């Protein structure tokens, strides 16, 4: 367990509690859930395991705050001021929050610190959008009528998040929802519940009214209780496509609006006219960054046959040089898998790929560091109909496929049920535009990978999701449009 005193200082509360209706509460039956530090493979924190009644109370608090509380009467300027304050607190506590998330999911402290330093930008960007005019005057062709639209908050939002970037993915929902004037019940992953509970301390300190932001913790059962509550107006889910379908069904039951940010099997296309060193570095970052546990991991390398060996050699050299180690050590370059099931899944998918005929060019096994560490892995000879080319691994495993023509490259890239992101590497500007236009993916990077920002819409085509986060479109997900006709006669 490490040093308890410093841990309770880090967490700011002992025991950790849920935040419901502006009050700190334990599970009503006293139930607990343990969070395991994947590097130490030890329980490092304990959180409440919400009962069905706790979930009902949280939705009730959010409903009451929306229907009767002061939140809907706030002006956009007042909401924006609170959001800016929260952004400042997020920056102030970035080192602490980064450390908590690293203990929860084993991601590198240095990556999380950078992420946390930037995360406040979501609050600032959406606080700005909150104060922009949202409606429009309609050019009416009816005599004596003045018509206009207003955009109003959708209402009470359930936000469900996965374990790979708990607060960042939550903030991508929270910031636009707050700007819109919604209230929320958040349920973080059972594997990484801690940072969202601690985040609630910042929300309280910023001075948001009770019931605007509520957190319940627990596993899929808690999630199911939440999404089936008919008092919700909207469910915003980030997670696997399998669970996305279950949640879409739950939403359909009550006609609750649903937006989904799901998985990916994103291609990186390497043409023979690219800068090979830059491409190799971008591909390595795209698949080994965050131990590959990223929805936008560039997991399919689609490379022109003539540069296949040159790229693979460079990638092997980069993989070999990666320093695996303690996520809290700033010198580490890759951490462990976040959970034991995830560790086992990665290795079993690599084994299945070998059985299908793929070749392990590098890695493919547990790293000498032991624990949940997997070596960065490069699989060559992958064919488009192999499972390893089709299913999300959510680990540092790159599948290499080859092509001969641009047309074939595009076909292979689009031959996926997913469509979250894609990268392409070429120095030919016409080709860059042509291919970017043909890829069925929500984000396309040319001679780059992984760049995201609060103002840039992000989301998936096909099974990678429904709806968009970030940018103005991300705000629209939390708004209803109302048309008002005024008889001026
Ligand atoms: P997951 O689907 O297992 O769980 C996500 C969340 O849903 C957790 O909080 C879980 O408790 C909850 N949940 C599970 N079943 C539920 C149900 N029936 N009803 C309500 N809630 C339920 O996903 P994960 O393993 O935590 O995360 C990895 C997945 O998330 C990957 O597929 C990854 O690609 C995806 N992801 C997508 C994005 C994106 O923006 N598109 C970002 C990060 C991760």
């Amino acid at each position: 367990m490490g040093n308890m005193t410093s841990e309770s200082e880090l967490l700011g509360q002992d025991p950790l509690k849920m935040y419901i209706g502006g009050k700190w509460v334990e599970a009503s039956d006293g139930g607990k859930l343990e969070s395991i530090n994947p590097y130490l493979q030890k329980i490092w924190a304990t959180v409440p395991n919400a009962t069905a009644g706790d979930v009902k109370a949280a939705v009730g608090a959010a409903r009451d705050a929306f229907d009767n509380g002061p939140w809907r009467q706030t002006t956009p300027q007042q909401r924006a001021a609170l959001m800016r304050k929260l952004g400042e607190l997020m920056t102030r506590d970035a080192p602490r929050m980064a450390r908590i998330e690293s203990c929860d999911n084993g991601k590198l402290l240095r990556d999380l610190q950078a992420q946390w330093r930037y995360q406040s930008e979501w609050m600032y960007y959406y606080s700005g959008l909150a104060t922009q005019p949202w409606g429009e005057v309609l050019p009416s062709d009816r005599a004596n009528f003045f018509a206009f639209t207003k955009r109003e908050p959708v209402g009470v939002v359930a936000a469900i998040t996965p374990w790979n970037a708990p607060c960042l993915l939550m903030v991508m929902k929270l910031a636009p929802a707050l700007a819109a004037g919604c209230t929320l019940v958040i349920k973080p992953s059972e594997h990484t519940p801690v940072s969202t509970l601690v985040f609630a301390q910042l929300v309280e300190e910023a001075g948001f009214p009770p019931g605007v932001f509520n957190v319940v913790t627990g596993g899929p059962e808690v999630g199911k209780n939440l999404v089936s509550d008919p008092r919700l107006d909207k469910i915003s889910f980030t997670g696997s496509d399998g669970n996305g379908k279950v949640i879409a069904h739950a939403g359909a039951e009550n006609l609750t609006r649903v937006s989904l940010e799901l998985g990916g099997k994103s291609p990186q296309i390497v043409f023979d006219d690219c800068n090979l060193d830059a491409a190799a570095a971008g591909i390595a970052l795209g698949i080994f960054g965050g131990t590959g546990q990223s929805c936008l991991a560039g997991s399919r390398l689609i490379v022109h046959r003539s540069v296949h060996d040159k790229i693979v050699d460079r990638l092997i050299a980069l993989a070999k040089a990666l320093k695996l180690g303690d996520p809290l050590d700033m010198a580490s370059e890759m951490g462990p898998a976040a959970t034991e099931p995830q560790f086992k899944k990665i290795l079993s998918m690599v084994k299945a790929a070998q059985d299908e005929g793929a070749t392990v060019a590098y890695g493919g096994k547990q790293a000498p560091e032991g624990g949940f560490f997997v070596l960065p892995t490069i699989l060559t000879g992958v064919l488009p109909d192999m499972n390893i080319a089709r299913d999300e691994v959510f680990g540092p495993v790159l599948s290499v496929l080859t092509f001969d023509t641009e047309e074939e490259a595009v076909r292979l890239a689009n031959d996926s049920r997913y469509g979250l992101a894609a990268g392409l590497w070429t120095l030919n500007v016409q080709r860059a535009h042509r291919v970017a236009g043909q890829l069925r993916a929500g984000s396309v990077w040319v001679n780059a990978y992984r760049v995201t920002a609060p103002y840039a819409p992000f989301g998936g085509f096909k099974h990678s999701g429904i709806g968009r986060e970030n940018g103005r479109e991300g705000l629209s997900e939390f708004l209803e449009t109302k048309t008002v006709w005024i008889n001026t006669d």
Side-chain angles (χ1 to χ4, degrees):
M1 290 284 283
N3 180 333
M4 279 308 293
T5 317
S6 66
E7 263 160 28
S8 52
E9 267 168 29
L10 181 70
L11 303 180
Q13 224 180 33
D14 187 15
L16 279 170
K17 294 185 178 150
M18 299 187 288
Y19 190 58
I20 298 179
K23 297 202 167 59
W24 296 98
V25 296
E26 304 210 46
S28 46
D29 66 354
K32 298 276 188 196
L33 186 77
E34 287 160 344
S35 181
I36 295 168
N37 175 323
Y39 174 65
L40 300 173
Q41 295 175 262
K42 281 190 183 152
I43 297 162
W44 84 283
T46 305
V47 304
N49 191 13
T51 62
D54 298 332
V55 174
K56 277 203 174 73
V59 177
R63 189 76 260 168
D64 187 48
F66 186 78
D67 293 336
N68 311 312
W71 191 235
R72 277 193 75 188
Q73 275 71 53
T74 52
T75 62
Q77 288 74 10
Q78 287 168 325
R79 292 201 296 278
L82 280 171
M83 292 174 68
R84 284 196 299 275
K85 174 77 181 157
L86 179 56
E88 283 162 20
L89 298 178
M90 286 164 63
T91 305
R92 183 197 70 189
D93 279 17
R96 167 188 181 222
M97 297 302 294
R99 201 175 182 85
I100 290 171
E101 291 205 322
S102 180
C103 293
D104 241 2
N105 69 7
K107 286 222 167 164
L108 297 180
L109 183 64
R110 66 182 201 178
D111 289 354
L112 285 164
Q113 283 185 350
Q115 196 178 89
W116 268 95
R117 277 196 298 272
Y118 191 57
Q119 216 157 291
S120 307
E121 292 297 328
W122 267 264
M123 286 300 152
Y124 301 144
Y125 171 76
Y126 280 107
S127 70
L129 273 197
T131 60
Q132 304 279 316
W134 291 348
E136 54 185 354
V137 173
L138 301 175
S140 171
D141 58 356
R142 315 290 162 92
N144 306 324
F145 269 102
F146 177 68
F148 63 98
T149 59
K150 293 179 73 177
R151 307 208 68 199
E152 300 188 350
V154 68
V156 175
V157 176
I160 299 186
T161 50
W163 46 262
N164 61 320
C167 279
L168 175 66
L169 298 170
M170 184 267 289
V171 163
M172 283 164 58
K173 304 176 188 309
L174 176 66
L178 290 176
C182 296
T183 61
L184 300 100
V185 179
I186 322 265
K187 193 206 82 69
S189 165
E190 60 277 22
H191 300 298
T192 54
V194 179
S195 60
T196 309
L197 290 178
V198 177
F199 188 95
Q201 297 169 20
L202 306 184
V203 173
E204 183 183 48
E205 188 180 341
F208 283 86
V212 171
F213 178 97
N214 307 276
V215 190
V216 290
T217 43
E221 226 21 67
V222 175
K224 277 184 208 160
N225 289 333
L226 179 57
V227 296
S228 59
D229 195 309
R231 295 170 297 170
L232 293 176
D233 296 297
K234 163 99 188 176
I235 302 165
S236 177
F237 172 79
T238 303
S240 59
D241 52 326
N243 286 331
K245 287 183 196 172
V246 175
I247 280 163
H249 277 286
E253 203 55 47
N254 298 311
L255 290 178
T256 309
R257 284 126 185 75
V258 175
S259 51
L260 304 170
E261 287 289 333
L262 308 175
K265 190 76 191 178
S266 298
Q268 289 254 38
I269 308 178
V270 173
F271 290 99
D272 54 358
D273 58 10
C274 75
N275 175 332
L276 290 176
D277 289 326
I283 291 157
L285 174 74
I287 186 64
F288 302 139
T291 316
Q293 300 170 128
S294 161
C295 54
L296 47 76
S299 50
R300 285 186 300 145
L301 171 58
I302 297 174
V303 57
H304 191 269
R305 198 177 301 278
S306 67
V307 289
H308 173 278
D309 293 356
K310 288 182 188 153
I311 275 285
V312 170
D313 288 350
R314 281 169 170 77
L315 284 167
I316 291 174
L318 289 170
K320 267 189 191 155
L322 270 184
K323 188 176 172 326
L324 277 55
D326 182 350
L328 294 180
D329 180 345
M330 296 300 266
S332 297
E333 294 172 328
M334 201 173 103
T339 63
E340 188 170 17
Q342 189 59 29
F343 166 75
K344 288 186 173 154
K345 180 185 162 201
I346 296 168
L347 291 184
S348 79
M349 286 185 77
V350 170
K351 168 80 178 51
Q354 286 176 281
D355 293 345
E356 283 185 301
T359 303
V360 175
Y362 187 76
K365 53 180 191 240
Q366 186 185 35
E369 284 73 12
F372 303 157
F373 282 94
V374 181
L375 283 173
T377 297
I378 300 164
L379 299 173
T380 52
V382 174
L383 299 174
D385 56 354
M386 291 181 182
N387 290 326
I388 197 69
R390 312 201 74 81
D391 297 333
E392 186 181 46
V393 178
F394 223 57
V397 179
L398 181 69
S399 295
V400 185
L401 298 91
T402 48
F403 70 88
D404 292 302
T405 64
E406 183 182 302
E407 192 192 9
E408 189 186 2
V410 170
R411 187 161 38 77
L412 285 172
N414 286 336
D415 181 15
S416 172
R417 70 177 184 277
Y418 295 112
L420 190 60
L424 66 105
W425 300 84
T426 177
L427 296 180
N428 176 330
V429 71
Q430 285 93 344
R431 170 174 275 163
H433 281 281
R434 197 166 54 231
V435 174
Q438 289 172 309
L439 291 172
R440 302 254 299 141
S443 295
V444 177
W445 293 285
V446 179
N447 298 324
Y449 204 75
R450 245 180 213 290
V451 193
T452 57
Y455 49 81
F458 181 82
F461 284 34
K462 301 190 265 182
H463 283 214
S464 288
I466 297 177
R468 289 291 178 274
E469 296 195 322
N470 304 342
R472 288 177 181 275
E473 290 190 41
L475 179 64
S476 289
E477 300 284 340
F478 297 99
L479 293 170
E480 293 278 15
T481 301
K482 177 184 283 177
T483 304
V484 183
W485 294 90
I486 303 213
N487 185 344
T488 55
D489 196 1

